[in-house]
């Protein structure tokens, strides 16, 4: 083998025992440093952690059951550990047991622990390396145990992330799913490289990598196989995570995406690491990895712990890389980032001035030539103003994106196909899109990762005209009056008031304690309304809402996590009355049809949405059209066929005395529409009807999306209801808009396949409401003389046309049964509620004799052609033209007794094939009734009036 030939030309194998001891000594030194720097609870947690995985005790954290896998090789708890365990459980006693097999191979801490970059606020990344032979059930229990230990750590105010690692799978590049702290498939060798130079062994087996000399790294597998064969080492003493002989170019792109992802909340740490990736890529393919530098120093006998501090090594590597280009600003940003990461404020006096971390960073700043004032500015970062934070955030994002472009170009030139799983790539891409993509209405979170908050005690909010005399809003820090606006630097400006307020709130600039001066000449925003809006944001969007990092949410399309809908922000719908000191009293209290003028009180809608991808989005709508567009846009956050409706819009309004009623009305409208289309028992072919002001609107479902259209006034609305339909029409009427309209009550009684006639008798007039078998609706108003005769002629009419319709269906092979016919009387009870009383035939009451009037309707060219038979006497438009109705009436009156003056009813209609197509929508009762009504209205015009 190649490495054996190389071996023959070199010294004998290293003293493995000595090399191991060097690494162990360094590990112990770093571990002591780490524990010295830890808070008491952190130190106790780290002391107890190996014991919790070595045994299963029902009184200790992490206990699942007595058979949960446990046992660490070469581990025995010391007196401190046993004392801590006894403090947790008074009855605890440690019993040493002999394990036939150790299921837990090792426990490692990975990251900044024990380095200059560690602070008492740092989290713990813990690797639990388990035996590769464990079953899925055992691993599931081990995961449950680890989750319980994480929860216990949280009670101690410790942020611990425990990862289960199968070393055999890991060495083959097989990783688990992407989690909040694990890069998944995004990188393997780069993760391993970081592990080798930063990890601390808490208990168990050490890495085999320690024993592979630096010069043999390229022959890692062969070298390991040889020393195992010759029994220089034994597998039971160590863990083989694999070698670092090569870093695939593909990994740099994955690492860049991952570091950008981490940079959203930790930009200072990520900008250093991403520049390390850039430095590595610049050396490709002969990369001087820090882990290899680290190993070489150990093999060369270096024992000065500060010289092999992983984070100092990383800083020096990046600085060396940046020296190749005149990048003063980049170098200063990296130094500033490192200083902030170390978090030792040198401008402040400290009780422990001689601490090693403080001494090291002090030496660095002196070498950089930093002044005390420079350090003071950085140390005062929690108090930076908005402009300083914005500049810093922009500098960090610019650096992150600069490196991203560099490494993306590198990957395209040097890498083959991506090694990142498509699912992980999607997750990372979505997170970066949500964090960095700029778009209209989106709130950029600029403070995150730079400072804790930017709260201002005083703000000034101005409403100003632009060049086109359109008004926009601009907010300033401090007190800025109208005369000082031109010379002041604004914090934020936008055309929409809520966009400005939301931007300030989510960037922690404004709170209910902030005193905000409003300068809005001609506007209607008041301090009371502004305070109420900010208080609502504090109530609905808690501080931690954007801190939760649920990466599983990125595996699915974005949904709404929280929403507030603010109506009429800075606009009083009663302004004309308010200015005159008037107060409206009316029975028409619907906020969409208010008062005698039926006014819409929803002048504007602003929504603030926090998504499951942790985007903050503001959207603005105006007027009636805006109301419907808002509803349609909002519905798109949840697919109709997904079965889960969007959350309630949480409407609020503070601009007028009826604000609560307006907000409640819009909330109820949204909920009612979504209940219609999204709930389990909803009908996707439903039509939702709503009236706003004087017009009617229709909401329907098309291609899994809601759509709306304006029907028009009451006449257009009635025309829509009368239209034939291809399927049973299921109409849902807005409860408030139609609470006094009988049509909603009638549709509530509709039974598909049944023709229902509702008789509403008003003195000497009768209104007949016909709801046919498909849900089409038409009314006819005529003079009323006799209820029995009125119903009798409708019975006769519908029986006659049913025979014709059944014949046509048979002829055109359309399957449907003849509809039943029902008759009802419509009344109102004492409370003013509609009542329906079904008509029952009574043979004791006979209808008066009537004339049979049959109409045959055809079309010649574009003109209607009629033949009307009155008691077998034929009248046609061919013979009488437009006078046909007059002739029919004159003849009909001769067939009556002289004292009879009731309407002339059409008892049968036939529609020609030209008028009726083979479309089943036209072979329905309403189509025939429509022609009956037209003909009877024309006949009525010719009757002599008394």
């Amino acid at each position: 083998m190649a490495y054996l030939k190389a071996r023959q030309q070199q010294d004998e194998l290293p003293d493995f025992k000595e090399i191991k001891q060097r690494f162990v000594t360094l590990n112990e030194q770093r571990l002591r440093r780490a524990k010295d720097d830890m808070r008491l609870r952190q130190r106790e947690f780290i002391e107890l952690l190996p014991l919790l995985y070595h045994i299963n005790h029902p009184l200790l954290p992490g206990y699942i059951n007595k058979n949960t896998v446990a046992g660490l090789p070469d581990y025995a708890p010391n007196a401190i550990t046993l004392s801590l365990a006894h403090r947790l459980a008074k009855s605890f006693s440690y019993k040493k047991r002999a394990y036939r097999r150790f299921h837990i191979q090792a426990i490692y801490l990975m990251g900044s622990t024990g380095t200059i970059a560690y602070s008492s606020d740092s989290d713990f990344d813990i690797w639990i390396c388990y035996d590769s032979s464990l079953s899925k059930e055992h691993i599931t229990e081990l995961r449950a145990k680890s989750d319980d230990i994480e929860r216990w750590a949280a009670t101690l105010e410790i942020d611990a992330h425990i990862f289960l690692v199968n070393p055999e799978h890991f060495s083959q590049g097989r990783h688990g799913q992407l989690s909040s702290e694990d890069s998944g498939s995004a990188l393997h060798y780069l993760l391993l490289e970081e592990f080798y130079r930063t990890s601390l062994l808490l208990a168990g087996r050490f890495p085999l990598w320690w024993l592979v000399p630096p010069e043999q790294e390229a022959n890692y597998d062969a070298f390991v196989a040889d020393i195992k064969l010759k029994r220089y080492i034994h597998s039971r003493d160590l863990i083989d995570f694999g070698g670092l002989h090569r870093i695939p170019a593909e990994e740099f792109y994955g690492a860049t995406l991952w570091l950008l992802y981490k940079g959203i909340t930790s930009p200072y740490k990520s900008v250093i690491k991403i520049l390390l990736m850039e430095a590595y890529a610049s050396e490709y393919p002969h990369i001087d990895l820090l882990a290899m530098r680290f190993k070489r120093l150990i093999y060369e006998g270096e024992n000065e712990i500060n010289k092999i501090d992983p984070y100092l090594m990383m800083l020096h590597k990046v600085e060396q890389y940046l020296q190749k280009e005149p990048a003063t600003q980049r170098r200063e940003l990296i130094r500033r980032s490192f200083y902030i990461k170390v978090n030792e404020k040198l401008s402040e006096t400290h009780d422990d001035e001689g601490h090693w971390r403080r001494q090291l960073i002090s030496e660095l700043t002196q070498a950089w030539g930093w002044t005390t004032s420079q350090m003071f500015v950085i140390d005062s970062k929690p108090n930076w103003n908005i402009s300083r934070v914005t500049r810093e955030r922009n500098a960090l994002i610019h650096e992150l994106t600069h490196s991203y472009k560099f490494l993306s170009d590198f990957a395209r030139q040097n890498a083959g196909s991506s090694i990142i799983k498509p699912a992980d790539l999607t997750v990372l891409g979505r997170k970066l899109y949500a964090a960095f993509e700029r778009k209209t209405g989106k709130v950029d979170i600029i403070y995150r990762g730079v400072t804790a908050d930017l709260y201002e005690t005083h703000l000034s909010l101005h409403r100003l005209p632009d060049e086109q005399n359109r008004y926009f809003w601009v907010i300033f820090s401090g007190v800025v009056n109208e005369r000082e606006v031109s010379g002041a630097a604004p914090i934020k400006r936008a055309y929409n008031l809520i966009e400005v307020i939301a931007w300030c709130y989510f960037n922690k600039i404004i709170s209910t304690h902030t005193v905000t001066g409003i300068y809005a000449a001609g506007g209607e925003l008041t301090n009371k309304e502004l305070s109420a809006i900010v208080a609502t944001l504090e109530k609905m969007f808690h501080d931690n809402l954007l801190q939760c990092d649920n990466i599983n949410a990125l595996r699915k399309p974005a949904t709404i996590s929280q929403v507030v809908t603010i109506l009429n922000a800075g606009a009083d719908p009663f302004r004309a009355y308010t200015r005159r000191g008037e107060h409206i009293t009316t029975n028409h209290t619907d906020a969409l049809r208010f008062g005698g003028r039926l006014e819409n009180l929803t002048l504007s809608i602003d929504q603030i949405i926090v998504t499951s991808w942790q985007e903050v989005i503001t959207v603005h709508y105006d007027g009636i059209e805006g109301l419907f567009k808002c509803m349609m846009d909002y519905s798109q956050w949840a697919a109709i066929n997904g079965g889960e409706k969007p959350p309630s819009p949480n409407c609020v309004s503070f601009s007028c005395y009826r604000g609560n009623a307006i907000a409640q009305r819009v909330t109820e409208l949204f909920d009612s529409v979504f209940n219609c289309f999204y709930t389990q028992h909803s009908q996707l072919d439903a039509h939702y009807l709503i009236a706003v002001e004087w017009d009617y609107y229709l909401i329907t479902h098309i291609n899994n999306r809601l759509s709306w259209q304006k029907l028009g006034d009451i006449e257009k609305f009635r025309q829509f209801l009368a239209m034939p339909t291809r399927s049973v029409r299921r109409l849902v009427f807005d409860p408030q808009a139609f609470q006094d309209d009988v049509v909603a009550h009638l549709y509530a009684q509709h039974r598909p396949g049944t023709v229902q006639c509702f008789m509403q008798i008003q003195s000497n007039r009768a209104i007949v409401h016909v709801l046919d078998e498909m849900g089409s609706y038409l009314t006819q108003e005529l003079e009323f003389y006799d209820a029995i005769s009125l119903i009798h002629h409708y019975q006769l009419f519908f029986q006659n046309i049913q025979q014709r319709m059944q014949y046509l269906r048979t002829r055109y092979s359309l399957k449907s049964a003849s509809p039943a016919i029902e008759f009802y009387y419509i009344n109102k009870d004492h409370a003013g509620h509609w009542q329906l009383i079904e008509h029952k035939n009574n043979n004791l009451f006979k209808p008066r004799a009537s004339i049979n009037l049959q109409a045959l309707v055809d079309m010649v060219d574009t003109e209607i052609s009629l033949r009307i038979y009155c008691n077998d006497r034929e009248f046609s438009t061919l013979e009488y033209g437009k006078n046909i109705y007059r002739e029919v009436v004159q003849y009909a009156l001769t067939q009556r007794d002289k004292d009879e003056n009731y309407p002339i009813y059409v008892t049968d209609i036939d529609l020609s094939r030209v008028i009726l197509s083979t479309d089943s929508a036209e072979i329905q009762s309403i189509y025939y009734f429509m022609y009956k009504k037209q003909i009877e209205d024309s006949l009525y015009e010719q009757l002599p009036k008394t």
Side-chain angles (χ1 to χ4, degrees):
M1 292 181 288
Y3 92 92
L4 289 177
K5 293 180 180 179
R7 185 78 261 165
Q8 293 172 359
Q9 300 172 2
Q10 297 176 5
D11 297 332
E12 295 298 321
L13 290 171
D15 186 336
F16 292 127
K17 185 176 180 180
E18 180 186 352
I19 294 298
K20 175 190 173 184
Q21 189 56 47
R22 291 179 189 175
F23 278 100
V24 169
T25 300
L26 174 63
N27 190 82
E28 290 173 348
Q29 288 177 322
R30 284 184 57 198
L31 198 52
R32 278 196 300 272
R33 271 191 169 183
K35 290 180 179 179
D36 288 343
D37 288 342
M38 290 178 188
R39 291 180 279 113
L40 177 61
R41 286 184 171 184
Q42 290 176 321
R43 187 161 57 249
E44 292 176 348
F45 172 77
I46 294 300
E47 287 284 358
L48 274 170
L49 191 63
L51 178 64
L52 300 181
Y53 283 93
H54 189 60
I55 62 172
N56 289 310
H57 193 283
L59 298 180
L60 293 180
Y63 180 80
I64 303 302
N65 61 63
K66 65 180 181 179
N67 297 318
T68 302
V69 293
L72 275 160
D74 300 324
Y75 173 74
N78 57 30
I80 295 175
T81 304
L82 293 177
S83 175
L84 291 171
H86 182 71
R87 199 168 72 193
L88 280 176
K90 298 297 183 183
S91 61
F92 171 78
S93 63
Y94 178 71
K95 296 179 181 179
K96 186 177 180 179
R97 54 171 293 187
Y99 288 94
R100 297 180 60 187
R101 186 167 191 169
F102 294 101
H103 296 300
I104 309 300
Q105 296 185 355
I107 300 178
Y108 292 90
L109 278 176
M110 179 183 169
S112 63
T113 310
T115 75
I116 188 175
Y118 176 81
S119 72
S120 59
D121 295 327
S122 296
D123 57 0
F124 290 137
D125 288 351
I126 302 163
W127 284 22
I128 305 298
C129 302
Y130 62 86
D131 192 288
S132 60
S133 65
L134 292 186
S135 66
K136 289 183 178 180
E137 290 75 16
H138 285 146
I139 296 172
T140 299
E141 284 189 354
L142 186 59
R143 181 69 264 168
K145 180 186 186 77
S146 301
D147 290 343
D148 190 66
I149 292 173
E150 283 184 353
R151 287 190 289 269
W152 169 62
T155 66
L156 305 177
E157 298 181 346
I158 296 170
D159 190 10
H161 308 280
I162 300 177
F163 305 105
L164 304 184
V165 179
N166 181 331
E168 183 177 315
H169 289 177
F170 188 92
S171 65
Q172 299 166 0
R174 293 157 60 187
H175 292 238
Q177 280 194 333
L178 200 66
S179 72
S180 63
E181 293 293 330
D182 173 31
S183 56
S185 65
L187 58 153
H188 169 70
Y189 288 101
L190 289 169
L191 178 65
L192 183 60
E193 189 266 346
E194 183 181 1
F195 171 79
Y196 280 147
R197 60 184 163 85
T198 68
S199 62
L200 282 175
L201 176 61
L202 287 183
R205 297 170 181 165
F206 65 93
L208 172 58
W209 181 81
W210 287 0
L211 304 183
V212 178
E215 65 272 13
Q216 291 297 332
E217 194 72 29
N219 306 309
Y220 182 92
D221 293 335
F223 181 85
V224 168
D226 184 61
I227 61 176
K228 282 184 177 179
L229 180 66
K230 294 177 179 178
R231 303 202 176 187
Y232 289 114
I233 60 171
H234 198 285
S235 297
R236 69 169 177 265
D237 299 326
L238 40 78
I239 298 177
D240 186 6
F241 293 104
L244 292 173
H245 56 283
R246 60 179 287 272
I247 305 290
E250 293 87 350
E251 278 208 5
F252 288 102
Y253 182 66
T256 304
L257 284 179
W258 179 247
L259 290 169
L260 280 171
Y261 169 81
K262 298 300 292 179
I264 295 168
T265 53
S266 302
Y268 290 109
K269 182 169 68 173
S270 292
V271 78
I272 302 171
K273 288 188 174 183
I274 203 170
L275 260 170
L276 176 64
M277 296 300 105
E278 190 176 324
Y280 280 168
S282 69
E283 299 171 344
Y284 184 84
H286 306 295
I287 306 172
D288 182 18
L289 296 173
L290 288 180
M292 296 308 302
R293 280 192 189 182
F294 171 77
K295 183 190 277 191
R296 282 196 298 271
L297 289 170
I298 300 298
Y299 270 75
E300 290 168 3
E302 179 61 65
N303 58 8
E304 175 53 53
I305 188 172
N306 290 339
K307 291 184 179 180
I308 47 180
D309 183 286
Y311 275 79
L312 280 175
M313 292 177 67
M314 179 167 60
L315 174 66
H316 295 326
K317 174 84 175 180
V318 170
E319 284 194 313
Q320 289 170 5
Y321 167 67
L322 292 178
Q323 285 175 356
K324 299 177 183 178
E325 55 177 282
T328 305
Q329 289 184 341
R330 298 183 77 191
R331 190 159 51 246
E332 282 303 307
L333 177 62
I334 292 304
R335 289 172 176 175
R336 188 162 68 247
S337 298
F338 190 82
Y339 180 85
I340 290 170
K341 170 62 180 165
V342 172
N343 196 29
E344 288 286 343
K345 298 180 178 180
L346 298 183
S347 66
E348 300 175 1
T349 57
H350 198 280
D351 293 338
D352 193 7
E353 289 294 334
H355 189 276
W356 68 272
R357 295 174 67 249
R358 195 169 180 86
Q359 286 183 338
L360 274 180
I361 194 64
S362 180
E363 291 172 6
L364 280 174
T365 55
Q366 289 175 21
W368 296 339
W370 279 15
T371 64
T372 303
S373 60
Q374 281 179 280
M375 290 183 286
F376 178 80
V377 170
I378 300 174
D379 291 343
S380 62
K381 184 167 67 73
N383 299 317
W384 283 356
N385 60 27
I386 184 66
S387 58
R388 181 69 179 86
V389 170
T390 301
R391 290 198 305 271
E392 185 77 351
R393 179 71 173 173
N394 290 341
L396 287 165
I397 292 177
H398 179 269
E399 186 55 46
L400 290 170
T401 53
H402 176 278
S403 295
Y404 170 71
K405 291 176 182 177
F406 174 87
L407 290 164
S408 296
D409 291 341
F410 166 81
R412 280 192 294 270
Q413 294 169 10
N414 297 280
S417 58
S418 175
I419 61 174
I420 312 175
K421 294 176 184 176
D424 289 347
L425 188 62
T426 298
V427 165
L428 291 172
R430 284 174 173 176
K431 186 65 176 180
L432 298 179
Y433 172 85
F436 298 120
E437 183 70 17
R438 291 190 176 98
K439 56 186 178 184
T440 303
K442 180 177 174 180
V443 174
D444 295 321
I445 311 299
I446 62 165
Y447 81 92
R448 185 164 47 193
V450 179
T451 187
D453 64 64
L454 293 165
Y455 280 127
E456 295 277 351
T457 58
H458 290 77
L459 293 170
S460 299
L461 181 63
H462 290 256
R463 180 175 179 262
L464 303 171
D466 66 5
E467 294 179 352
Q468 285 76 40
N469 213 31
R470 297 174 300 177
Y471 282 93
F472 66 96
W473 294 88
V474 58
I475 196 163
F476 299 90
S477 173
V479 179
V480 178
N481 59 35
E482 292 96 331
R483 297 186 302 276
E484 299 168 325
V485 166
S486 59
I491 293 176
K492 179 69 176 177
R493 57 168 66 90
Y495 280 105
N496 299 320
L497 169 66
I498 296 303
E499 183 178 347
V500 171
I501 297 174
W503 189 90
C504 290
Y505 174 77
F506 284 99
N507 279 294
K508 300 193 174 184
I509 295 170
I510 194 171
S511 75
T512 50
H513 300 293
T514 304
V515 178
T516 305
I518 299 175
Y519 303 87
E524 292 152 354
L525 178 67
T526 64
N527 284 105
K528 181 180 179 181
E529 181 183 1
L530 179 60
S531 297
I533 291 172
V534 175
T536 298
L537 300 188
E538 289 185 346
K539 177 183 177 182
M540 300 300 295
F541 302 105
H542 56 79
D543 284 345
N544 296 325
L545 187 61
L546 296 181
Q547 307 302 323
C548 306
D549 195 5
N550 182 7
I551 205 162
N552 287 324
L554 295 167
R555 301 183 186 280
K556 300 176 288 186
T559 56
I560 296 173
S561 295
Q562 188 59 281
V563 60
V564 166
T565 304
I566 302 171
L567 309 179
N568 302 333
D572 182 359
F574 297 104
R575 56 184 173 270
Y577 303 98
T578 304
R579 288 169 182 169
R580 295 195 300 265
E582 298 177 1
H583 188 87
I584 301 177
T585 302
T586 178
N587 292 326
H588 299 285
T589 58
D590 182 354
L592 303 181
R593 313 182 84 200
F594 186 81
R597 298 179 180 179
L598 301 184
E599 293 178 273
N600 168 40
L601 302 183
T602 307
L603 306 181
S604 68
I605 301 176
D606 288 274
Q607 282 191 320
I608 305 173
I609 296 171
V610 175
T611 75
S612 57
W613 292 3
Q614 297 193 315
E615 288 182 291
V616 180
I617 299 170
T618 64
V619 283
H620 176 85
Y621 305 90
D622 287 308
I624 298 174
E625 185 173 335
L627 172 68
F628 288 102
K629 193 172 189 314
C630 175
M631 190 186 304
M632 301 305 106
D633 292 346
Y634 192 71
S635 71
Q636 291 180 32
W637 286 99
I640 291 178
N641 58 9
E644 186 173 342
K645 64 181 180 180
S648 177
N650 294 325
C651 297
V652 294
S653 181
F654 308 107
S655 66
C656 70
Y657 71 93
R658 291 194 62 85
N660 288 337
I662 297 170
Q664 183 178 353
R665 174 66 173 107
V666 176
T667 298
E668 290 174 352
L669 173 61
F670 275 59
D671 290 343
S672 182
V673 170
F674 296 150
N675 286 335
C676 172
F677 293 99
Y678 284 87
T679 54
Q680 185 177 359
H681 302 293
S682 66
Q683 300 292 339
L684 295 186
D685 58 348
H687 298 65
Y688 191 94
L689 289 161
I690 173 72
V692 183
E693 292 190 343
W694 297 95
D695 291 315
Y696 294 81
Y697 298 82
L698 177 71
I699 301 173
T700 55
H701 162 268
I702 300 174
N703 297 329
N704 203 33
R705 298 176 65 175
L706 293 187
S707 177
W708 69 279
Q709 69 180 90
K710 180 179 179 180
L711 298 177
D713 59 16
I714 184 67
E715 190 63 34
K716 299 286 180 62
F717 170 63
R718 298 292 183 183
Q719 290 175 11
F720 163 77
L721 295 181
M723 289 173 56
T725 176
R726 290 178 173 81
S727 59
V728 175
R729 177 177 288 152
R730 294 178 173 87
L731 298 182
V732 179
F733 293 82
D734 182 79
Q736 283 203 47
F738 291 91
Q739 61 182 352
D740 294 326
D741 196 325
V742 69
V743 68
H745 191 70
L746 300 184
Y747 266 97
Q749 311 300 320
H750 178 237
R751 294 196 294 118
T754 302
V755 175
Q756 295 169 306
C757 295
F758 304 91
M759 308 297 176
Q760 186 178 3
I761 300 170
Q762 300 174 341
S763 184
N764 62 341
R765 304 292 293 174
I767 302 175
V768 180
H769 306 258
V770 174
L771 195 54
D772 82 351
E773 67 277 7
M774 301 295 286
S776 295
Y777 169 84
L778 191 61
T779 63
Q780 182 179 16
E781 184 173 351
L782 35 76
E783 291 187 19
F784 173 72
Y785 287 91
D786 179 354
I788 300 301
S789 298
L790 181 67
I791 290 176
H792 172 71
H793 109 262
Y794 275 102
Q795 283 179 324
L796 183 61
F797 171 76
F798 282 113
Q799 288 170 359
N800 287 333
I801 65 169
Q802 276 186 21
Q803 294 178 6
R804 299 184 182 280
M805 289 164 61
Q806 189 60 38
Y807 168 75
L808 288 171
R809 291 191 183 99
T810 303
R811 181 176 180 180
Y812 295 128
S813 301
L814 300 173
K815 297 180 180 179
S816 63
S818 295
I821 306 171
E822 297 175 349
F823 291 89
Y824 297 86
Y825 297 104
I826 302 174
N827 292 314
K828 273 192 173 182
D829 61 17
H830 295 296
H833 299 139
W834 293 108
Q835 281 186 324
L836 297 182
I837 303 171
E838 187 173 2
H839 169 79
K840 301 293 184 182
N841 286 328
N842 189 331
N843 293 329
L844 296 178
F845 294 95
K846 299 294 183 182
R848 70 175 65 202
S850 60
I851 301 172
N852 288 325
L853 205 69
Q854 183 186 50
L856 279 63
V857 186
D858 197 1
M859 183 169 290
V860 178
D861 295 329
T862 58
E863 297 291 330
I864 292 292
S865 173
L866 277 179
R867 280 187 295 162
I868 298 177
Y869 290 90
C870 183
N871 285 347
D872 297 327
R873 166 76 185 273
E874 179 182 350
F875 300 84
S876 70
T877 51
L878 185 62
E879 181 179 0
Y880 297 105
K882 295 181 179 180
N883 295 323
I884 185 174
Y885 299 111
R886 184 188 63 194
E887 296 296 326
V888 171
V889 167
Q890 289 178 353
Y891 178 75
L893 292 178
T894 65
Q895 305 300 303
R896 294 181 178 178
D897 294 335
K898 290 183 180 180
D899 59 341
E900 293 181 325
N901 193 26
Y902 53 86
I904 299 176
Y905 302 123
V906 175
T907 55
D908 188 15
I909 284 183
D910 179 66
L911 302 177
S912 71
R913 293 181 60 185
V914 177
I915 292 178
L916 276 181
S917 69
T918 56
D919 189 340
S920 61
E922 294 182 349
I923 306 178
Q924 68 179 90
S925 301
I926 204 70
Y927 209 61
Y928 290 83
F929 182 64
M930 193 182 301
Y931 280 97
K932 167 184 168 65
K933 180 177 183 295
Q934 291 175 4
I935 294 171
E936 288 182 350
D937 287 347
S938 297
L939 292 173
Y940 178 77
E941 291 296 322
Q942 301 300 320
L943 280 171
K945 305 301 185 287
T946 57

